[in-house]
């Protein structure tokens, strides 16, 4: 597999073409941003943690019937993935109130919902990723109705699998963001990453935050939190 030119650089990852037109290589950086890029920093070792954790979780999801972009881990920071065109939706599942949910609706963080919620943001940095509903997504031509239904079903399935998986590691899965992509045949797969950048993880006993909120909120111990999650998933 030959790595060719860079085709995209995002806030946390670079994407490269390969000599196979159906495959890309993603390369995870240590760069961290928050609030639509307003806050910038570096989380040392984050790229390695996110690459390895995301790959591991995607393989668990594949085994549970969720198709993903994952093909093969190439190194600590690089992974071979199926080429997708990203559906420009951030799909957020919540089990417990936190973050923008708590802020927007005036409730405290930490309230467990009777059942998980789903919401969409329009992935558009210029607009600040505004919250939209599935009718808006269809009206804007971001996805077909069938794709939106597939995405909803897959997102709740991801939640069922990961909630149970993390519970066994002593971690509460509070909420998370997913992105989906279309393969060349039009089918929908889970893409992007699943990591402490894109999930809220709270220790089951102490409620200690083990995710990017430590960076967003200047809580300190950012690297320690990523390393702790790495340890819970992979052991020592
Ligand atoms: P929120 O409460 O700020 O809306 O975040 C919900 C979840 O989505 C949380 O686990 C963090 C994740 N997230 C991202 O992955 N990228 C983003 O740009 C934002 C705003 C949140």
């Amino acid at each position: 597999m030959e790595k060719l030119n860079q085709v995209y650089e995002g806030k946390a990852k670079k994407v490269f073409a390969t000599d196979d037109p159906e495959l890309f290589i993603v390369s995870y950086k240590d760069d961290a941003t928050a609030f639509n890029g307003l806050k910038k920093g570096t989380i040392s070792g984050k790229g390695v943690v996110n690459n390895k954790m995301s790959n591991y979780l995607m393989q668990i999801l594949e085994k549970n019937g969720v198709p993903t972009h994952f093909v093969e881990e190439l190194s600590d920071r690089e992974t071979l993935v199926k080429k997708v065109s990203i559906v420009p939706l951030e799909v957020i599942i919540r089990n417990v109130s936190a973050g923008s949910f708590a802020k927007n609706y005036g409730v405290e963080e930490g309230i467990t919902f009777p059942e998980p919620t789903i919401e969409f943001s329009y992935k558009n940095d210029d607009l600040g990723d505004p919250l939209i509903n599935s009718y808006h997504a269809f009206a804007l031509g971001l996805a077909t109705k069938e794709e939106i239904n597939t995405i909803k079903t897959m997102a709740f399935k991801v939640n069922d699998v990961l909630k149970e998986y993390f519970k066994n590691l002593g971690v509460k899965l509070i909420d998370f963001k997913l992105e989906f992509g279309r393969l060349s045949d039009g089918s929908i797969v889970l893409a992007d990453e699943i990591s402490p950048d894109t999930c809220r993880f709270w220790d089951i006993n102490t409620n200690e935050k083990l995710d990017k909120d430590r960076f967003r909120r200047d809580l300190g111990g950012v690297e320690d939190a990523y390393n702790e999650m790495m340890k819970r998933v992979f052991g020592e």
Side-chain angles (χ1 to χ4, degrees):
M1 184 56 51
E2 204 186 335
K3 184 171 158 186
L4 301 177
N5 56 299
Q6 182 177 309
V7 292
Y8 177 76
E9 177 160 12
K11 296 189 194 100
K13 295 188 284 298
K14 294 177 181 175
V15 182
F16 297 87
T18 71
D19 51 8
D20 182 332
E22 299 291 333
L23 299 175
F24 276 166
I25 291 171
V26 282
S27 180
Y28 284 74
K29 306 187 282 184
D30 286 350
D31 299 352
T33 65
F35 315 117
N36 200 15
L38 242 55
K39 183 183 172 82
K40 289 189 174 68
T42 303
I43 302 175
S44 177
K46 171 172 88 81
V48 176
V49 171
N50 289 8
N51 182 43
K52 289 180 170 287
M53 190 183 300
S54 190
N55 291 341
Y56 190 72
L57 297 175
M58 293 229 182
Q59 289 173 84
I60 292 175
L61 290 166
E62 286 274 1
K63 284 192 192 112
N64 283 275
V66 179
T68 78
H69 73 168
F70 176 80
V71 177
E72 186 191 351
E73 190 168 291
L74 301 175
S75 69
D76 276 2
R77 288 178 186 272
E78 293 196 330
T79 295
L80 192 64
V81 297
K82 294 174 185 164
K83 177 182 174 178
V84 298
S85 88
I86 288 286
V87 177
L89 290 172
E90 300 204 337
V91 181
I92 295 162
I93 298 277
R94 300 178 192 270
N95 297 303
V96 176
S97 66
S100 69
F101 183 98
K103 185 164 172 281
N104 289 341
Y105 307 128
V107 296
E108 59 185 298
E109 297 197 306
I111 301 164
T112 301
F113 302 139
E115 61 179 33
T117 68
I118 189 165
E119 72 206 46
F120 299 111
S121 291
Y122 176 21
K123 194 173 149 65
N124 182 320
D125 281 340
D126 293 338
L127 301 176
D129 299 338
L131 199 60
I132 60 172
N133 66 34
S134 46
Y135 293 87
H136 297 150
F138 181 61
L140 290 166
L142 308 182
T144 67
K145 288 185 183 178
E146 197 191 351
E147 285 175 335
I148 291 167
N149 282 332
T150 302
I151 286 170
K152 283 181 181 165
T153 304
M154 283 170 59
F156 282 122
K157 176 74 183 177
V158 169
N159 187 45
D160 288 342
V161 173
L162 292 188
K163 208 167 53 174
E164 184 61 24
Y165 171 75
F166 282 112
K167 197 169 99 184
N168 290 320
L169 304 178
V171 173
K172 263 190 276 189
L173 180 60
I174 303 300
D175 56 31
F176 56 93
K177 184 264 300 181
L178 301 175
E179 294 183 26
F180 293 86
R182 295 180 190 97
L183 298 178
S184 56
D185 69 359
S187 61
I188 296 279
V189 298
L190 180 63
D192 193 50
E193 67 180 276
I194 309 174
S195 71
D197 272 23
T198 63
C199 303
R200 285 196 173 92
F201 298 126
W202 292 5
D203 180 85
I204 223 160
N205 296 312
T206 64
N207 283 338
E208 186 189 355
K209 296 185 199 318
L210 299 172
D211 57 63
K212 194 179 166 190
D213 267 353
R214 302 204 74 86
F215 169 80
R216 296 189 188 98
R217 303 178 186 193
D218 296 319
L219 298 176
V222 184
E223 278 90 358
D224 288 348
Y226 280 74
N227 291 334
E228 175 64 23
M229 282 308 301
M230 190 74 170
K231 221 163 79 182
R232 301 255 181 136
V233 171
F234 292 104
E236 281 304 325

